[in-house]
């Protein structure tokens, strides 16, 4: 049972990392879409850094490392499906607005 608790804790922290990645992406998509590709590097640093931190803390915590890693990976991965959809929707809305502005200036 305590191993499941370790998975739940690392899952929750993984969701936090995924949420941070989402807000970084959203910020760059809204403010500076030309540099949106740079967010990939930053997000991967957070993801890999978190997984390495979980792996390194395995010796110091009373939970089995496998459960902690599974929780961490699922915590990072599962919310990103939702967040990616939100970002795609935001991007489509932004493109629609820019096309409307182009149409107004042409007409």
């Amino acid at each position: 049972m305590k191993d499941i608790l370790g998975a739940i804790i690392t899952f929750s922290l993984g969701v936090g990392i995924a949420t941070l990645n989402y807000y970084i992406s959203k910020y760059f998509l809204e403010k500076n879409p030309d540099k949106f590709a740079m967010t990939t590097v930053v997000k991967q640093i957070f993801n890999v850094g978190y997984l390495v931190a979980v792996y390194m803390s395995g010796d110091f915590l009373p939970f089995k490392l496998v459960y902690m890693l599974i929780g961490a990976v699922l915590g990072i991965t599962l919310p990103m499906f939702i967040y990616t959809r939100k970002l795609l929707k935001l991007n489509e809305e932004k493109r629609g607005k820019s096309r409307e502005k182009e149409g107004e200036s042409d007409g």
Side-chain angles (χ1 to χ4, degrees):
M1 184 66 186
K2 75 174 184 178
D3 294 329
I4 300 298
L5 179 63
I8 291 170
I9 291 170
T10 55
F11 177 83
S12 300
L13 293 172
V15 170
I17 296 292
T19 303
L20 177 67
N21 287 341
Y22 166 71
Y23 283 114
I24 290 170
S25 298
K26 184 179 175 183
Y27 175 80
F28 274 94
L29 188 61
E30 290 176 341
K31 302 293 182 189
N32 201 351
D34 296 336
K35 296 187 178 183
F36 182 74
M38 287 181 9
T39 63
T40 304
V41 175
V42 174
K43 293 187 304 184
Q44 287 303 325
I45 289 171
F46 282 124
N47 290 344
V48 173
Y50 174 61
L51 293 175
V52 168
V54 169
Y55 180 78
M56 294 298 196
S57 67
D59 293 337
F60 305 108
L61 297 174
F63 311 116
K64 287 188 180 176
L65 181 60
V66 173
Y67 288 97
M68 290 182 2
L69 286 172
I70 289 172
V73 168
L74 291 176
I76 290 174
T77 305
L78 294 179
M80 286 310 295
F81 290 118
I82 298 166
Y83 292 146
T84 301
R85 271 195 195 168
K86 285 182 169 185
L87 287 172
L88 287 173
K89 185 177 177 183
L90 179 67
N91 191 33
E92 288 173 5
E93 290 173 0
K94 194 168 183 158
R95 282 186 178 177
K97 288 179 183 177
S98 68
R99 287 181 185 153
E100 288 174 7
K101 286 181 183 178
E102 288 175 5
E104 291 174 359
S105 63
D106 291 341

